[in-house]
Amino acid sequence: MIQKIDEHKLNILRDTACNYASPDVLRRDGKVFFIGCNLPIYNTLETMYESYCLESSELFHVTFGTAAEFGRNIEMVRQIKRNFSIRLMGQISYPLSVSQVERVYLAGLDILDFPHDAGDRDQWTTAFSSATAAFTRWSVASSIIAGQTTPQAVKENIKELLDNGIIPLLTFAEESSGWSVEEAGGLSRFLAAEWHRHRVPLKPVMPLLRLTTPYVFAGSPGFLREVIDKLHDRHILATSDIRRHLRTSGAEASFESAGL
């Protein structure tokens, strides 16, 4: 699937600020719709609908604000999932409790991305453990910003995440401009090899990878194969939504039986 590293694109990514995800911005880039969860909900939905009708998207990517805005951000996710049938990925930059992870899943996120953080390790360990338990296999990711540490440390982080069933996503930014092309390219090749070794299904995040990574991916498999792939993808999404609905119904029944 990954054919090679585009060194020209790698250099561009290394020199560009990492600002593709923001809680206060709504924009489309390629097949990805980036949605800030701090924006006004209904005005945002209206704008999204108009844009979605003009050009199809393959992934909706939402970015949460601060921990204090969690409740408002959850409502944005819930309304998007209620009005659009498309894979929804969300980036949250602070660790969540077990109950918050469950709320995020039930609200409609299909993929949860916790950016890699060197803060309180116990809090992050709990958050990742809760996320992998709540979400389906390979539906939890962690974005690592290259350049904030050494290439060897990034490799160790990649291996640790994969061993725990979490997809590492490598983001190049201005911080990594101090790395040589060889270091950045070598790290990209290492990540691709580890994805392959762990048989990580990249298709759900492929629209994002095309924008944020220097990989050159294999071309279209042909019209018939593309149709079959899209039908299979719709089946996976439908199955995921049914599983979420059943879990939501079970949670509501538990609340009722407890008199809550």
Side-chain angles (χ1 to χ4, degrees):
M1 185 177 293
I2 297 175
Q3 294 183 322
K4 63 177 182 178
I5 305 294
D6 183 338
E7 292 192 4
H8 176 67
K9 185 177 180 182
L10 177 58
N11 284 326
I12 293 175
L13 292 171
R14 286 169 61 235
D15 295 333
T16 304
C18 178
N19 60 355
Y20 71 86
S22 168
D24 302 303
V25 173
L26 174 68
R27 69 184 183 88
R28 176 195 290 276
D29 194 343
K31 294 292 185 179
V32 184
F33 217 142
F34 293 99
I35 307 145
C37 281
N38 286 349
L39 295 169
I41 294 176
Y42 295 106
N43 287 344
T44 301
L45 289 175
E46 184 177 359
T47 302
M48 287 172 60
Y49 182 75
E50 292 173 354
S51 179
Y52 187 70
C53 289
L54 293 174
E55 183 179 356
S56 64
S57 300
E58 294 178 355
L59 179 70
F60 281 0
H61 183 289
V62 298
T63 306
F64 277 49
T66 65
E69 296 159 323
F70 178 78
R72 173 187 172 191
N73 293 168
I74 277 286
E75 183 58 24
M76 173 71 88
V77 172
R78 189 177 292 112
Q79 291 299 328
I80 292 173
K81 196 65 174 181
R82 189 174 294 170
N83 288 278
F84 297 90
S85 179
I86 192 169
R87 183 170 280 107
L88 187 57
M89 180 177 184
Q91 186 177 92
I92 302 177
S93 59
Y94 51 88
L96 301 180
S97 66
V98 175
S99 62
Q100 285 177 317
V101 167
E102 185 73 4
R103 287 181 63 190
V104 164
Y105 172 76
L106 295 180
L109 278 191
D110 299 297
I111 304 169
L112 173 60
D113 174 19
F114 283 134
H116 190 270
D117 191 285
D120 190 320
R121 187 172 178 84
D122 289 339
Q123 275 192 317
W124 280 110
T125 299
T126 299
F128 277 119
S129 177
S130 302
T132 53
F135 284 75
T136 55
R137 181 169 172 78
W138 297 119
S139 293
V140 179
S142 182
S143 294
I144 304 172
I145 298 179
Q148 293 184 341
T149 183
T150 65
Q152 184 57 39
V154 174
K155 288 181 179 180
E156 294 301 320
N157 291 333
I158 287 171
K159 290 190 287 188
E160 182 181 10
L161 290 167
L162 286 167
D163 287 342
N164 286 280
I166 299 163
I167 305 175
L169 301 174
L170 191 59
T171 302
F172 289 98
E174 288 178 315
E175 293 94 331
S176 56
S177 59
W179 286 14
S180 68
V181 174
E182 290 74 18
E183 286 177 320
L187 191 56
S188 296
R189 283 186 285 274
F190 174 81
L191 177 58
E194 288 297 296
W195 279 340
H196 179 73
R197 187 168 72 87
H198 286 80
R199 298 182 180 179
V200 178
L202 296 178
K203 192 175 187 308
V205 294
M206 185 63 69
L208 185 65
L209 296 182
R210 293 187 186 279
L211 295 177
T212 62
T213 69
Y215 298 120
V216 176
F217 296 96
S220 174
F223 176 75
L224 182 58
R225 181 73 255 175
E226 189 174 346
V227 170
I228 293 173
D229 286 346
K230 285 184 178 180
L231 290 174
H232 179 64
D233 195 49
R234 299 307 303 170
H235 174 72
I236 292 174
L237 273 179
T239 301
S240 177
D241 288 341
I242 291 172
R243 185 183 295 113
R244 181 181 291 109
H245 173 71
L246 292 174
R247 191 184 297 184
T248 304
S249 299
E252 290 174 347
S254 297
F255 289 147
E256 290 176 1
S257 63
L260 300 175

